[in-house]
Amino acid sequence: MPEIHLVGVAALLTLSVIVLLAGRGRNLTLVVYGCALVISLVLCGGATMRLLMQSPPSSLALPIGLPWLGAHFRIDALSSFFLAIINFGGAAASLYGLGYGRHEREPLRVLPFFPAFLAGMNVVLMADDAFTFLLSWEFMSLASWSLVMAHHREADNIRAGLVNIVMAGIGAFALLLAFGVLAGPDGFYAFADMRTHAPAPLAAAAVLALVLFGAGSKAGLVPLHVWLPLAHPAAPSHVSALMSGVMTKVAVYAFIRVAFDLLGPPAWWWGVPVLILGAATAVIGVLFALVHTDLKRILAYSTIENIGIIFVALGLSLGFLASGFAAAAALAMTAALFHVLNHSLFKSLLFFGAGAVITATGSREIGQLGGLLNRMPATGLFMLVGCAAISALPPLNGFASEWLAFQAILLSPSLPSWALKLLTPAAGAMLALAAALAGACFVRLFGIAFLGRPRTITSAKAVEVDRFSLTAMGGLACLCLLAGIFPGQVIDALAPVARATTGAAMHPQAAMPWLSIAPIAESRSSYDGLLVFVFIVSSALLAAFIVHRLASNALRRAPAWDCGFPDADPITQYSAESFAQPVRRVFSSFAFRARAQVDMPPPGDLRPASYTVEWVDLSWAVFYRPVVAAVAKMAYWMNRMQYLTIRQYLSLVFAALVFLLLVLASWA
Amino acid sequence: MIGDLSGLVGEFAIQISQMLLVLLLAPLLTGFVRKVKARLLRRRGPPLLQPYWDLAKLARKEAIVAESASWLFRGIPYLVFAMTWVAAALVPTFGTGLLFSWSADLIAIIALLGGARFFLALAGMDVGTSFGGLGSSREMMFATLAEPALIMIVFTLALIAGSTQLSTVAEFMLSPDVGLRISLALALVALVIVALAENARIPVDNPATHLELTMVHEAMVLEYSGRHLAMIDLSAQIKLLLYVSLIACVFAPFGLAPVAASFSAHMFGVVAYVGKLAFAGLMLALFETSVAKMRVFRVPDFIGVALMLGLLATLLRFMSRGF
């Protein structure tokens, strides 16, 4: 089975190389995205089949790479779940790219790297030794960096690319060290050997910290998230969808692979840092999403929030697993995986919608949009579904996974450790806060961009996008609804993954009557997405029918009322900044030190009045600036080394030699 | 879940009568609160049935829709009504034997109300006026604190009763092993605060205001008229009834007919329920006439108290089963 996937990956890589070598064709865009679509669909189908048929793990070793190691590949339930997600995201992005890619001014800056990026992510998920894993991880990072730099002439993109590559480098370095510790002094670089040699407690702690750093920086855990809202929006929109919806999931995979699989049985406190980081990430991510006004940056910050939710569920799962509650661990793990799936669906959908808005209006600032629902009805409808799904509204899919996460939290009083016992309700409160803030964030996004009156001429003249893009968005919107009203089927499909990672699984949900789901027992909690959906739709239709039939159905269009003072100028509408002002004010003190300055010139002064809002991302001030300053200072000191005499250099070499010999002597 | 056929029919009958009951009683509760408030101020007040006449009049009128409104604006009143009604249909009022009570637990009911608010806030922004945006923005700001507070209350109840199913919680509260608990008291205070905020009552918002800058909910629905406004008003009334039912079924469950109870028990349940509604309406009117409305930016502190109380109650439950 890995053979087929490797052939697919090879095909993707070949596609890249061909485009690089002979990229002059007229229909190149069509060919590349068409091929990528077909390959991704095949790979996704293969992985889904494996998952649903619960195939046993299969592995393959190829004599490439390091001579004494070779390259090991293995596909088990965990990798096939993530392979399915990644290739589905890849297929959706390719389909969208068929239409969206035509607007690309310099297609050769995108086309060669797109299949390579997909191939890189695929290999990471199949890798079964540290060397292959890190190599493909770096390949994936580099390919995504090339895509971020596709529009390198735009103002902020150079900085985005720089921060991206630096953070990717640091993250990969942390993962390298993590695998180094896991491999131990005997050099067990194959994952199969790591599984049999669980590290000592101290080493395991080091590995957990390093992998949280390495995978967390790629996933966007606070405070390692700073590169993400810069880099993800800089890429073309379908690539942003891949990076946000899919590549962050590869990082989640890396964390699950190491923490649940390679690191051996967990200690009780492993869940603690994961829970804290996850909860902080969820709230801080969505708070920043609420104050930004760049459409794609809002979505990138919301990715950070969702990663936080996933990590909260993973932390819970670790805590349960360490305390021996396998069933509860399986529930939390299922919630995390379900949210991984959901986020990949709605975040891809939302980024596609953002791309459609950019195509139609040329603007990413939601303050320059407005009224797009009338101009782009289909895109608007799909975006609405995406916004409702990500705000965790029933009966859509986002609610189902958050509901599972809450059910897992409600099981935690049985945990023996006090730290976890006190942390989980706080994490639950943070999760609820993040969900409510996400609702506000997406009301703002959709309300400002798609509702109201057009704020600029370009948004008043926007036209609907092409069919390929609409098909991709429509398909994802349907899946958001389907996964929401049939959560039991999704949970059952995730059972083998939960069993592979936690040793248990939620009991089969498909057998429940009326397609409802009940994580523990029906008397405890149950939810039925399908029935809720049917109830809402039927009572809405019933109410509309009765009112139209028995009362009045007359309708008249008139100017807006607005308490008698309607203003024709669309600039008098509520803006993105003014919508966020109450929330910014309530949460500013602890999250972003927002300061508003009002400059009101006195009467007679013709200067325009101004209202400026400033806020800071504290993680820059607290974590990055000091590091950058320290590096600069050290570089300044090291600068002296350039101007030594030859004698001084020779004595330095001699001192280094003596030092190394001393180390060697003391080692034995 | 599904017993024999006669039980099924009985539960179905209870479910349907509950859905109709909340629909029919909701305007009455609002009318009652208005009447009591007026009497407390030594006014005569509108007739008790005035909300019904208002709804009927609005529904018969021609709907006037702003030129800039999209199709979403016309659909949202029905959607909001449906989400609120479905949520209200799942909160036990006079009996716990609801056929569909397992289809959505308390978390789902809260999320349904959150969904209704989400769409109502979108409707406020649809026409593109400053008042609509103002209402939506403030409503969502309140919700960012009220919703987590509600979830914390749910956590407390779920940890006490061992279930997030409202019917099971109510049955547990009816049983003698509840006792007096600190966490329950904290949850009650928090729930009352959230209910005041969510239903746009004084001191958070003024349901009778005509001063634009002080209103939140009314600003959001300012552009609605005719049948659309009727649906929105009815949803708001159902929501008030829902919160009263929720508080009643959790904190004052006496009279609630258990599953498979006799017909007379159910009739007694209805009488008890109406009594509880009257008491709640009285208390609400008393409270509203005795406090002043807050400034908008004091409201987060007010709802924040609910959030903190809810968190405290949950933490107490996590610490020990005794609280």
Side-chain angles (χ1 to χ4, degrees), chain A residues 403 407 412 421 451-453 514 522-526 528 551-552 554 556-558 561-563 573 579 582, chain B residues 1-2 59 61-67 69 78 102-103 105 126 128 131 137 162-165 212 223 227 318:
Chain A
W403 186 80
Q407 296 299 336
S412 49
K421 244 186 193 184
L451 303 178
R453 288 171 289 162
W514 299 70
E522 199 203 306
S523 63
R524 204 181 154 93
S525 55
S526 62
D528 192 322
S552 153
R556 185 154 57 91
R557 290 276 181 177
W561 156 233
D562 204 19
C563 272
Q573 298 177 79
F579 190 91
Chain B
M1 175 182 306
I2 294 164
K61 281 198 167 210
E62 169 192 54
I64 300 175
V65 173
E67 278 144 2
Y78 303 106
W102 45 267
S103 69
D105 64 353
D126 191 37
F131 280 127
S137 157
S163 168
T164 53
Q165 287 306 108
E212 296 86 354
E223 297 296 326
R227 56 178 182 274
F318 267 80

Short mmCIF file of all heavy atoms in Angstrom, two decimals, chain A residues 403 407 412 421 451-453 514 522-526 528 551-552 554 556-558 561-563 573 579 582, chain B residues 1-2 59 61-67 69 78 102-103 105 126 128 131 137 162-165 212 223 227 318:
data_model
loop_
_atom_site.label_atom_id
_atom_site.label_comp_id
_atom_site.label_asym_id
_atom_site.label_seq_id
_atom_site.Cartn_x
_atom_site.Cartn_y
_atom_site.Cartn_z
N TRP A 403 -18.74 19.96 20.71
CA TRP A 403 -19.60 19.26 21.66
C TRP A 403 -18.88 18.05 22.25
O TRP A 403 -18.92 17.82 23.46
CB TRP A 403 -20.88 18.84 20.94
CG TRP A 403 -21.93 18.25 21.81
CD1 TRP A 403 -22.81 18.93 22.59
CD2 TRP A 403 -22.23 16.86 21.98
NE1 TRP A 403 -23.63 18.04 23.24
CE2 TRP A 403 -23.30 16.77 22.89
CE3 TRP A 403 -21.69 15.70 21.45
CZ2 TRP A 403 -23.84 15.56 23.29
CZ3 TRP A 403 -22.23 14.49 21.84
CH2 TRP A 403 -23.29 14.42 22.76
N GLN A 407 -17.83 17.27 26.12
CA GLN A 407 -18.17 16.02 26.80
C GLN A 407 -16.92 15.41 27.42
O GLN A 407 -16.98 14.84 28.52
CB GLN A 407 -18.80 15.03 25.81
CG GLN A 407 -20.13 15.48 25.24
CD GLN A 407 -21.18 15.68 26.31
OE1 GLN A 407 -21.10 15.11 27.38
NE2 GLN A 407 -22.16 16.51 26.03
N SER A 412 -13.52 14.87 33.19
CA SER A 412 -12.23 15.00 33.86
C SER A 412 -12.27 15.06 35.38
O SER A 412 -11.22 14.92 35.98
CB SER A 412 -11.50 16.21 33.30
OG SER A 412 -12.34 17.32 33.29
N LYS A 421 -7.11 18.37 37.26
CA LYS A 421 -8.48 18.60 37.72
C LYS A 421 -8.81 20.09 37.74
O LYS A 421 -9.92 20.49 37.42
CB LYS A 421 -8.60 18.07 39.14
CG LYS A 421 -9.55 16.93 39.28
CD LYS A 421 -9.70 16.61 40.73
CE LYS A 421 -10.37 15.29 40.86
NZ LYS A 421 -10.64 14.92 42.23
N LEU A 451 -22.47 41.76 3.80
CA LEU A 451 -23.76 42.41 4.01
C LEU A 451 -23.57 43.93 3.97
O LEU A 451 -22.47 44.43 3.78
CB LEU A 451 -24.34 41.97 5.36
CG LEU A 451 -24.52 40.46 5.52
CD1 LEU A 451 -25.05 40.14 6.90
CD2 LEU A 451 -25.46 39.92 4.46
N GLY A 452 -24.64 44.65 4.21
CA GLY A 452 -24.55 46.09 4.18
C GLY A 452 -24.49 46.63 2.76
O GLY A 452 -24.85 45.94 1.80
N ARG A 453 -24.03 47.87 2.67
CA ARG A 453 -23.92 48.48 1.34
C ARG A 453 -22.47 48.49 0.90
O ARG A 453 -21.58 48.58 1.75
CB ARG A 453 -24.46 49.91 1.40
CG ARG A 453 -25.96 49.97 1.54
CD ARG A 453 -26.42 51.37 1.82
NE ARG A 453 -26.07 51.81 3.17
CZ ARG A 453 -26.04 53.08 3.54
NH1 ARG A 453 -26.29 54.03 2.67
NH2 ARG A 453 -25.74 53.41 4.78
N TRP A 514 -31.94 6.56 15.26
CA TRP A 514 -32.16 7.91 14.73
C TRP A 514 -30.86 8.63 14.44
O TRP A 514 -30.82 9.86 14.44
CB TRP A 514 -32.99 8.76 15.68
CG TRP A 514 -34.36 8.24 15.96
CD1 TRP A 514 -34.68 7.13 16.67
CD2 TRP A 514 -35.59 8.81 15.54
NE1 TRP A 514 -36.02 6.98 16.72
CE2 TRP A 514 -36.63 7.99 16.04
CE3 TRP A 514 -35.93 9.94 14.78
CZ2 TRP A 514 -37.97 8.26 15.80
CZ3 TRP A 514 -37.27 10.21 14.57
CH2 TRP A 514 -38.27 9.37 15.06
N GLU A 522 -26.45 7.12 26.78
CA GLU A 522 -27.47 8.01 26.27
C GLU A 522 -28.10 8.86 27.37
O GLU A 522 -28.48 10.00 27.14
CB GLU A 522 -28.54 7.18 25.57
CG GLU A 522 -29.34 8.04 24.64
CD GLU A 522 -30.66 7.41 24.43
OE1 GLU A 522 -30.69 6.22 24.04
OE2 GLU A 522 -31.65 8.09 24.69
N SER A 523 -28.15 8.30 28.58
CA SER A 523 -28.75 9.08 29.66
C SER A 523 -27.84 10.23 30.05
O SER A 523 -28.24 11.18 30.70
CB SER A 523 -28.97 8.18 30.87
OG SER A 523 -27.72 7.72 31.32
N ARG A 524 -26.57 10.14 29.66
CA ARG A 524 -25.61 11.14 30.07
C ARG A 524 -25.62 12.32 29.11
O ARG A 524 -25.69 13.48 29.51
CB ARG A 524 -24.23 10.51 30.13
CG ARG A 524 -23.32 11.25 31.04
CD ARG A 524 -21.97 10.61 31.06
NE ARG A 524 -21.03 11.64 31.41
CZ ARG A 524 -20.62 11.88 32.64
NH1 ARG A 524 -21.04 11.13 33.62
NH2 ARG A 524 -19.78 12.86 32.88
N SER A 525 -25.52 12.03 27.84
CA SER A 525 -25.53 13.10 26.86
C SER A 525 -25.73 12.49 25.49
O SER A 525 -25.18 11.44 25.19
CB SER A 525 -24.20 13.84 26.87
OG SER A 525 -23.16 12.92 26.67
N SER A 526 -26.54 13.12 24.70
CA SER A 526 -26.66 12.67 23.32
C SER A 526 -27.03 13.87 22.47
O SER A 526 -27.51 14.89 22.96
CB SER A 526 -27.73 11.58 23.19
OG SER A 526 -28.98 12.09 23.57
N ASP A 528 -28.27 14.81 18.26
CA ASP A 528 -28.67 14.29 16.98
C ASP A 528 -28.70 15.42 15.95
O ASP A 528 -29.64 16.21 15.91
CB ASP A 528 -30.05 13.64 17.10
CG ASP A 528 -30.39 12.84 15.87
OD1 ASP A 528 -30.04 13.31 14.78
OD2 ASP A 528 -30.97 11.77 16.01
N ALA A 551 -51.45 35.31 7.00
CA ALA A 551 -51.37 36.73 7.31
C ALA A 551 -51.09 37.51 6.03
O ALA A 551 -51.93 37.54 5.16
CB ALA A 551 -50.29 36.97 8.36
N SER A 552 -49.92 38.03 5.90
CA SER A 552 -49.68 38.89 4.74
C SER A 552 -48.44 38.40 4.00
O SER A 552 -47.53 37.86 4.60
CB SER A 552 -49.45 40.32 5.23
OG SER A 552 -48.65 41.01 4.32
N ALA A 554 -47.40 40.63 1.42
CA ALA A 554 -47.07 41.83 0.66
C ALA A 554 -45.70 42.34 1.08
O ALA A 554 -45.31 42.21 2.23
CB ALA A 554 -48.13 42.90 0.91
N ARG A 556 -42.80 45.59 0.33
CA ARG A 556 -42.49 46.84 -0.36
C ARG A 556 -41.05 47.20 -0.07
O ARG A 556 -40.57 47.05 1.05
CB ARG A 556 -43.42 47.96 0.13
CG ARG A 556 -43.25 49.26 -0.61
CD ARG A 556 -44.53 50.07 -0.55
NE ARG A 556 -44.96 50.33 0.81
CZ ARG A 556 -44.60 51.42 1.50
NH1 ARG A 556 -43.80 52.31 0.98
NH2 ARG A 556 -45.05 51.61 2.73
N ARG A 557 -40.35 47.63 -1.11
CA ARG A 557 -38.97 48.09 -0.93
C ARG A 557 -38.99 49.59 -0.68
O ARG A 557 -39.71 50.32 -1.35
CB ARG A 557 -38.15 47.80 -2.19
CG ARG A 557 -37.89 46.33 -2.41
CD ARG A 557 -36.69 45.91 -1.59
NE ARG A 557 -36.40 44.48 -1.80
CZ ARG A 557 -35.38 43.87 -1.26
NH1 ARG A 557 -34.53 44.53 -0.50
NH2 ARG A 557 -35.17 42.60 -1.48
N ALA A 558 -38.22 50.01 0.28
CA ALA A 558 -38.21 51.43 0.61
C ALA A 558 -36.81 51.79 1.08
O ALA A 558 -36.01 50.89 1.35
CB ALA A 558 -39.24 51.72 1.70
N TRP A 561 -34.68 52.73 7.12
CA TRP A 561 -35.35 53.58 8.10
C TRP A 561 -34.30 54.28 8.97
O TRP A 561 -34.20 55.49 8.98
CB TRP A 561 -36.31 52.71 8.91
CG TRP A 561 -36.70 53.16 10.28
CD1 TRP A 561 -36.62 52.45 11.43
CD2 TRP A 561 -37.28 54.42 10.64
NE1 TRP A 561 -37.08 53.17 12.48
CE2 TRP A 561 -37.50 54.38 12.03
CE3 TRP A 561 -37.61 55.57 9.94
CZ2 TRP A 561 -38.03 55.45 12.73
CZ3 TRP A 561 -38.15 56.64 10.64
CH2 TRP A 561 -38.37 56.58 12.01
N ASP A 562 -33.49 53.50 9.68
CA ASP A 562 -32.39 54.05 10.48
C ASP A 562 -32.85 55.18 11.39
O ASP A 562 -32.21 56.23 11.49
CB ASP A 562 -31.26 54.53 9.55
CG ASP A 562 -29.93 54.56 10.29
OD1 ASP A 562 -29.84 53.89 11.33
OD2 ASP A 562 -29.00 55.22 9.82
N CYS A 563 -33.98 54.99 12.04
CA CYS A 563 -34.51 55.96 12.98
C CYS A 563 -34.74 57.33 12.35
O CYS A 563 -34.62 58.36 13.00
CB CYS A 563 -33.62 56.11 14.20
SG CYS A 563 -34.04 54.93 15.48
N GLN A 573 -21.86 53.44 7.51
CA GLN A 573 -22.16 52.13 8.09
C GLN A 573 -21.17 51.81 9.19
O GLN A 573 -20.10 52.40 9.28
CB GLN A 573 -22.01 51.03 7.03
CG GLN A 573 -22.94 51.15 5.87
CD GLN A 573 -22.65 50.07 4.87
OE1 GLN A 573 -23.04 48.94 5.04
NE2 GLN A 573 -21.93 50.41 3.82
N PHE A 579 -17.01 47.72 14.72
CA PHE A 579 -17.66 46.51 15.20
C PHE A 579 -16.81 45.85 16.29
O PHE A 579 -17.34 45.31 17.26
CB PHE A 579 -17.88 45.52 14.06
CG PHE A 579 -18.76 44.37 14.45
CD1 PHE A 579 -20.13 44.44 14.27
CD2 PHE A 579 -18.23 43.22 15.00
CE1 PHE A 579 -20.94 43.40 14.65
CE2 PHE A 579 -19.04 42.17 15.38
CZ PHE A 579 -20.40 42.26 15.20
N PRO A 582 -16.13 47.27 20.94
CA PRO A 582 -16.51 46.83 22.29
C PRO A 582 -15.67 45.65 22.78
O PRO A 582 -15.21 45.66 23.92
CB PRO A 582 -17.98 46.42 22.12
CG PRO A 582 -18.45 47.13 20.92
CD PRO A 582 -17.28 47.25 20.02
N MET B 1 -34.53 4.49 24.96
CA MET B 1 -34.96 5.70 24.27
C MET B 1 -36.42 5.56 23.84
O MET B 1 -37.25 6.40 24.11
CB MET B 1 -34.08 5.91 23.06
CG MET B 1 -34.49 7.06 22.19
SD MET B 1 -33.43 7.16 20.77
CE MET B 1 -31.84 7.20 21.51
N ILE B 2 -36.70 4.50 23.15
CA ILE B 2 -38.06 4.35 22.63
C ILE B 2 -38.66 3.09 23.22
O ILE B 2 -38.18 1.98 22.96
CB ILE B 2 -38.04 4.28 21.10
CG1 ILE B 2 -37.57 5.61 20.55
CG2 ILE B 2 -39.43 3.96 20.58
CD1 ILE B 2 -37.15 5.56 19.14
N ALA B 59 -48.31 40.88 11.80
CA ALA B 59 -48.27 39.82 10.79
C ALA B 59 -49.17 40.18 9.61
O ALA B 59 -48.90 39.79 8.48
CB ALA B 59 -48.73 38.50 11.41
N LYS B 61 -49.67 43.16 8.45
CA LYS B 61 -49.22 44.35 7.73
C LYS B 61 -48.28 44.00 6.59
O LYS B 61 -47.64 42.96 6.58
CB LYS B 61 -48.52 45.29 8.71
CG LYS B 61 -49.49 46.08 9.55
CD LYS B 61 -48.78 47.26 10.16
CE LYS B 61 -49.82 48.21 10.73
NZ LYS B 61 -49.38 49.57 10.70
N GLU B 62 -48.19 44.95 5.68
CA GLU B 62 -47.24 44.80 4.59
C GLU B 62 -45.82 44.95 5.16
O GLU B 62 -45.58 45.80 6.01
CB GLU B 62 -47.53 45.91 3.59
CG GLU B 62 -46.53 46.14 2.52
CD GLU B 62 -46.81 47.45 1.79
OE1 GLU B 62 -46.91 48.50 2.45
OE2 GLU B 62 -46.94 47.41 0.57
N ALA B 63 -44.90 44.10 4.70
CA ALA B 63 -43.53 44.20 5.20
C ALA B 63 -42.76 45.21 4.35
O ALA B 63 -42.83 45.16 3.12
CB ALA B 63 -42.85 42.85 5.13
N ILE B 64 -42.07 46.11 5.01
CA ILE B 64 -41.26 47.08 4.27
C ILE B 64 -39.80 46.72 4.46
O ILE B 64 -39.32 46.63 5.60
CB ILE B 64 -41.54 48.51 4.76
CG1 ILE B 64 -43.01 48.81 4.54
CG2 ILE B 64 -40.66 49.50 4.01
CD1 ILE B 64 -43.44 50.14 5.09
N VAL B 65 -39.13 46.48 3.36
CA VAL B 65 -37.75 46.03 3.41
C VAL B 65 -36.86 47.08 2.76
O VAL B 65 -37.23 47.63 1.72
CB VAL B 65 -37.61 44.67 2.68
CG1 VAL B 65 -36.16 44.28 2.59
CG2 VAL B 65 -38.40 43.61 3.40
N ALA B 66 -35.74 47.37 3.40
CA ALA B 66 -34.85 48.40 2.87
C ALA B 66 -34.30 47.98 1.50
O ALA B 66 -34.14 46.79 1.22
CB ALA B 66 -33.70 48.63 3.84
N GLU B 67 -34.03 48.97 0.68
CA GLU B 67 -33.57 48.68 -0.67
C GLU B 67 -32.25 47.93 -0.69
O GLU B 67 -31.99 47.11 -1.56
CB GLU B 67 -33.42 49.99 -1.47
CG GLU B 67 -34.74 50.47 -2.04
CD GLU B 67 -34.85 51.98 -2.03
OE1 GLU B 67 -33.88 52.64 -1.62
OE2 GLU B 67 -35.92 52.47 -2.42
N ALA B 69 -31.25 45.74 1.42
CA ALA B 69 -31.27 44.45 2.12
C ALA B 69 -31.12 43.29 1.14
O ALA B 69 -31.59 43.36 0.00
CB ALA B 69 -32.58 44.31 2.89
N TYR B 78 -37.47 33.95 10.11
CA TYR B 78 -38.01 32.60 10.22
C TYR B 78 -36.97 31.66 10.81
O TYR B 78 -37.27 30.79 11.63
CB TYR B 78 -38.48 32.10 8.85
CG TYR B 78 -39.50 33.03 8.26
CD1 TYR B 78 -39.19 33.88 7.21
CD2 TYR B 78 -40.79 33.08 8.79
CE1 TYR B 78 -40.13 34.76 6.70
CE2 TYR B 78 -41.73 33.95 8.29
CZ TYR B 78 -41.40 34.79 7.23
OH TYR B 78 -42.34 35.65 6.75
N TRP B 102 -33.65 13.75 23.78
CA TRP B 102 -32.29 13.25 23.60
C TRP B 102 -31.64 13.80 22.33
O TRP B 102 -30.47 13.57 22.11
CB TRP B 102 -32.29 11.73 23.55
CG TRP B 102 -33.38 11.21 22.67
CD1 TRP B 102 -34.63 10.84 23.06
CD2 TRP B 102 -33.35 11.06 21.26
NE1 TRP B 102 -35.38 10.47 21.98
CE2 TRP B 102 -34.61 10.59 20.86
CE3 TRP B 102 -32.38 11.27 20.28
CZ2 TRP B 102 -34.93 10.34 19.54
CZ3 TRP B 102 -32.68 11.02 18.97
CH2 TRP B 102 -33.96 10.57 18.60
N SER B 103 -32.41 14.50 21.48
CA SER B 103 -31.80 14.93 20.23
C SER B 103 -30.90 16.14 20.43
O SER B 103 -30.07 16.44 19.58
CB SER B 103 -32.87 15.24 19.19
OG SER B 103 -33.57 16.38 19.57
N ASP B 105 -28.84 18.14 23.83
CA ASP B 105 -28.70 18.33 25.26
C ASP B 105 -28.58 19.82 25.56
O ASP B 105 -28.75 20.66 24.68
CB ASP B 105 -27.50 17.54 25.80
CG ASP B 105 -26.22 18.03 25.22
OD1 ASP B 105 -26.26 18.87 24.31
OD2 ASP B 105 -25.15 17.58 25.67
N ASP B 126 -27.23 43.81 7.86
CA ASP B 126 -27.52 43.60 6.45
C ASP B 126 -27.92 44.86 5.72
O ASP B 126 -27.55 45.06 4.58
CB ASP B 126 -28.61 42.53 6.31
CG ASP B 126 -28.74 42.09 4.87
OD1 ASP B 126 -27.69 42.01 4.21
OD2 ASP B 126 -29.86 41.86 4.41
N GLY B 128 -27.11 47.89 6.38
CA GLY B 128 -26.01 48.82 6.22
C GLY B 128 -26.30 50.18 6.83
O GLY B 128 -26.07 51.22 6.23
N PHE B 131 -27.13 52.15 13.12
CA PHE B 131 -27.77 51.59 14.31
C PHE B 131 -27.73 50.07 14.31
O PHE B 131 -27.48 49.45 15.35
CB PHE B 131 -29.22 52.05 14.40
CG PHE B 131 -29.34 53.43 14.96
CD1 PHE B 131 -30.05 54.40 14.29
CD2 PHE B 131 -28.73 53.74 16.15
CE1 PHE B 131 -30.15 55.66 14.81
CE2 PHE B 131 -28.82 55.02 16.67
CZ PHE B 131 -29.53 55.98 15.99
N SER B 137 -22.94 44.72 17.11
CA SER B 137 -21.64 44.71 17.74
C SER B 137 -21.76 44.55 19.24
O SER B 137 -21.05 43.73 19.86
CB SER B 137 -20.93 46.02 17.37
OG SER B 137 -19.96 46.34 18.29
N GLY B 162 -24.67 14.43 36.61
CA GLY B 162 -24.06 13.37 35.81
C GLY B 162 -24.60 13.28 34.41
O GLY B 162 -24.56 12.23 33.78
N SER B 163 -25.12 14.37 33.91
CA SER B 163 -25.68 14.33 32.56
C SER B 163 -25.84 15.75 32.04
O SER B 163 -26.04 16.69 32.82
CB SER B 163 -27.04 13.64 32.59
OG SER B 163 -27.71 13.84 31.36
N THR B 164 -25.74 15.92 30.73
CA THR B 164 -26.07 17.22 30.14
C THR B 164 -27.47 17.19 29.53
O THR B 164 -27.91 18.17 28.97
CB THR B 164 -25.07 17.62 29.05
OG1 THR B 164 -24.97 16.57 28.11
CG2 THR B 164 -23.71 17.91 29.63
N GLN B 165 -28.14 16.03 29.62
CA GLN B 165 -29.52 15.95 29.13
C GLN B 165 -30.42 16.68 30.11
O GLN B 165 -30.44 16.35 31.30
CB GLN B 165 -29.96 14.49 29.06
CG GLN B 165 -29.36 13.68 27.97
CD GLN B 165 -29.55 14.30 26.63
OE1 GLN B 165 -28.60 14.80 26.07
NE2 GLN B 165 -30.75 14.31 26.12
N GLU B 212 -32.39 55.77 21.02
CA GLU B 212 -31.64 54.84 20.18
C GLU B 212 -30.30 54.44 20.76
O GLU B 212 -29.88 53.30 20.68
CB GLU B 212 -31.43 55.44 18.79
CG GLU B 212 -32.69 55.68 18.01
CD GLU B 212 -33.30 57.03 18.32
OE1 GLU B 212 -32.80 57.70 19.24
OE2 GLU B 212 -34.28 57.41 17.67
N GLU B 223 -34.64 47.73 11.52
CA GLU B 223 -35.11 47.82 10.15
C GLU B 223 -36.26 46.86 9.84
O GLU B 223 -36.77 46.85 8.74
CB GLU B 223 -33.96 47.53 9.19
CG GLU B 223 -32.82 48.53 9.27
CD GLU B 223 -33.25 49.93 8.85
OE1 GLU B 223 -34.10 50.04 7.97
OE2 GLU B 223 -32.73 50.89 9.44
N ARG B 227 -44.57 41.33 9.12
CA ARG B 227 -44.50 39.93 9.58
C ARG B 227 -43.10 39.55 10.05
O ARG B 227 -42.96 38.73 10.97
CB ARG B 227 -44.93 39.00 8.45
CG ARG B 227 -44.15 39.18 7.16
CD ARG B 227 -44.62 38.20 6.10
NE ARG B 227 -43.85 38.33 4.88
CZ ARG B 227 -44.12 39.18 3.91
NH1 ARG B 227 -45.15 40.00 4.02
NH2 ARG B 227 -43.37 39.22 2.83
N PHE B 318 -15.30 20.30 40.73
CA PHE B 318 -14.12 19.52 40.36
C PHE B 318 -13.33 19.15 41.62
O PHE B 318 -12.69 18.12 41.69
CB PHE B 318 -13.23 20.30 39.39
CG PHE B 318 -13.51 20.02 37.96
CD1 PHE B 318 -14.58 20.60 37.31
CD2 PHE B 318 -12.71 19.15 37.24
CE1 PHE B 318 -14.84 20.35 35.99
CE2 PHE B 318 -12.97 18.87 35.92
CZ PHE B 318 -14.04 19.47 35.29
#
